[in-house]
Amino acid sequence: MDIDNDLAGMTLALAWAAKGLYTTSPNPRIGCVIVKDGRVIGAGVTQAAGHDHAEIQALKDAAARGHDVRGATAYVTLEPCNHHGRTPPCADALVSAGLGRVVAAMDDPNPLVAGQGMAKLAAAGIAVSSGLCADAAYELNIGFFSRMRRGLPWVRMKTAASLDGMTALHNGQSQWITGAEARADGHAWRARACAILTGIGTVASDDPQLTVRAVDTPRQPRRIVVDSRLDIRPDARVLAGGGTWIVAAVHDANRAAALRDVGAEVIVLPNAAGKVDLAELMRELGRRQINELHVEAGAKLNGSLIREGCVDELLVYLAPTVLGDAQGMFALPALTALDQQRRLAFHEVKQIGADVRILARFTH
């Protein structure tokens, strides 16, 4: 493949990074393409945690194909790391390989790197630049950037509703308001998340699995249930297979033991009102290296998360139908003045099948 300019090189690197959409967490999704004399001689994507980063994969690819990388240009979607984590520093590998130039889309927000990788490359005589296609690289790793900068996951709240904002009839019937294409698209957003969060109300009424089924994925996100009183039944489908985190506000040794017996972990984070401290939960998830959190819950928990300032963006699927008096998307208190409203900015609006998908971000 011919690469005759930096934009083409970085665009290809971003395409390689996207191959890691479901696999790299808690590491960022990074792609690397090595170009020499206008030809791609090596390419790679960051592997699962503890395995090769994109730069190492690209160097190995070039070597396997019999190419000499000395003097070549590496296009990488995030600054090469300069610290020993689960793997050695990528900056050292690029220096040792004799690269002539490194073009990065963004500096790494990780304080262990934060410009030091590019500085090491420059000190070794490698020409460096940063900032090309930065917006695309950021979107691909929005959760990683959130965790590095704020200590919090990027929280995306998904809901599907009629055009008048209703998610279910009062009797609970909701399958299906949106079409098959929108449901599959929603599973793709599930798959890219590190974890999926719901509430005990949804578990009690729907008994969901909260797994990715409509798209192929090599790993399932962690499942999390907010359950203040530990009311969840040990045979709930969300607990099947183990690994589910139950977040409670009470200590109940017997119920906790029953949940541990089916492979769940109980995390107790009470607030002063005897409910789960949602803000502290977000901080705890950041500490547990959750980059992107996907919320699929009922109106009550949705409203509580928004009210507590825990949500970064809404992923809303609107069907071309009207349900009338039914269940809404968010249980929020009535406002007394318009200046109290929570404002969002439309990030993307796209038709998915017969439905419309809206990605809107809170402007806080």
Side-chain angles (χ1 to χ4, degrees):
M1 181 177 181
D2 293 328
I3 297 293
D4 57 6
N5 60 71
D6 287 347
L7 180 58
M10 189 59 75
T11 299
L12 183 57
L14 286 164
W16 272 88
K19 296 175 185 287
L21 192 63
Y22 304 156
T23 56
T24 66
S25 61
N27 290 334
R29 300 142 179 156
I30 303 174
C32 179
V33 172
I34 301 175
V35 176
K36 190 172 185 179
D37 299 326
R39 301 287 295 176
V40 176
I41 62 172
V45 58
T46 294
Q47 303 298 295
H51 297 279
D52 288 344
H53 289 187
E55 299 93 325
I56 307 304
Q57 283 277 300
L59 290 171
K60 287 182 176 179
D61 182 43
R65 292 158 60 179
H67 292 297
D68 182 357
V69 302
R70 286 175 296 179
T73 296
Y75 297 95
V76 59
T77 57
L78 194 66
E79 174 187 8
C81 64
N82 185 45
H83 68 289
H84 284 271
R86 295 184 178 95
T87 58
C90 292
D92 289 351
L94 295 174
V95 170
S96 297
L99 270 290
R101 184 166 172 253
V102 173
V103 180
M106 297 189 74
D107 290 342
D108 195 326
N110 188 336
L112 296 174
V113 183
Q116 296 177 50
M118 298 299 273
K120 173 172 279 191
L121 296 174
I126 297 175
V128 299
S129 64
S130 181
L132 181 63
C133 298
D135 288 346
Y138 171 78
E139 289 295 330
L140 198 57
N141 288 302
I142 194 167
F144 178 76
F145 274 79
S146 175
R147 185 166 63 83
M148 289 295 110
R149 291 172 172 172
R150 307 185 302 175
L152 302 170
W154 181 262
V155 181
R156 182 180 297 116
M157 178 177 286
K158 179 259 181 181
T159 187
S162 60
L163 202 57
D164 53 345
M166 299 298 144
T167 63
L169 302 181
H170 285 305
N171 63 10
Q173 186 177 348
S174 64
Q175 297 181 343
W176 298 103
I177 294 173
T178 53
E181 295 93 338
R183 296 197 298 275
D185 190 72
H187 274 250
W189 285 94
R190 274 188 184 184
R192 69 171 283 166
C194 298
I196 304 172
L197 181 141
T198 195
I200 184 59
T202 298
V203 172
S205 61
D206 298 342
D207 195 21
Q209 299 177 66
L210 285 191
T211 54
V212 178
R213 299 180 301 280
V215 298
D216 291 332
T217 178
R219 68 102 170 97
Q220 290 289 339
R222 175 82 59 180
R223 293 169 294 178
I224 306 171
V225 180
V226 175
D227 180 12
S228 292
R229 299 189 301 270
L230 287 180
D231 289 329
I232 191 168
R233 292 168 50 96
D235 62 353
R237 294 203 298 172
V238 74
L239 300 177
T244 302
W245 294 343
I246 310 299
V247 189
V250 297
H251 290 279
D252 187 312
N254 291 333
R255 292 185 179 185
L259 292 171
R260 285 195 296 271
D261 286 344
V262 294
E265 178 183 352
V266 176
I267 304 167
V268 181
L269 298 173
N271 63 14
K275 302 290 186 180
V276 169
D277 187 329
L278 296 174
E280 181 57 28
L281 171 58
M282 296 306 134
R283 289 188 286 270
E284 176 64 18
L285 295 182
R287 290 189 288 267
R288 292 180 178 228
Q289 297 187 309
I290 299 298
N291 290 340
E292 292 184 25
L293 178 66
H294 182 92
V295 177
E296 290 194 29
K300 185 176 180 181
L301 180 54
N302 283 350
S304 295
L305 286 164
I306 292 173
R307 190 173 61 250
E308 294 294 320
C310 296
V311 182
D312 295 299
E313 68 182 358
L314 301 179
L315 176 66
V316 181
Y317 295 88
L318 291 179
T321 185
V322 175
L323 293 184
D325 185 16
Q327 297 183 34
M329 291 186 277
F330 319 113
L332 290 165
L335 304 182
T336 57
L338 282 176
D339 61 6
Q340 298 171 344
Q341 63 189 299
R342 297 289 305 279
R343 294 192 177 276
L344 301 98
F346 288 125
H347 181 70
E348 183 187 59
V349 179
K350 183 177 181 180
Q351 186 160 352
I352 307 291
D355 307 308
V356 172
R357 183 186 74 195
I358 298 173
L359 199 63
R361 293 179 176 169
F362 285 98
T363 55
H364 57 273

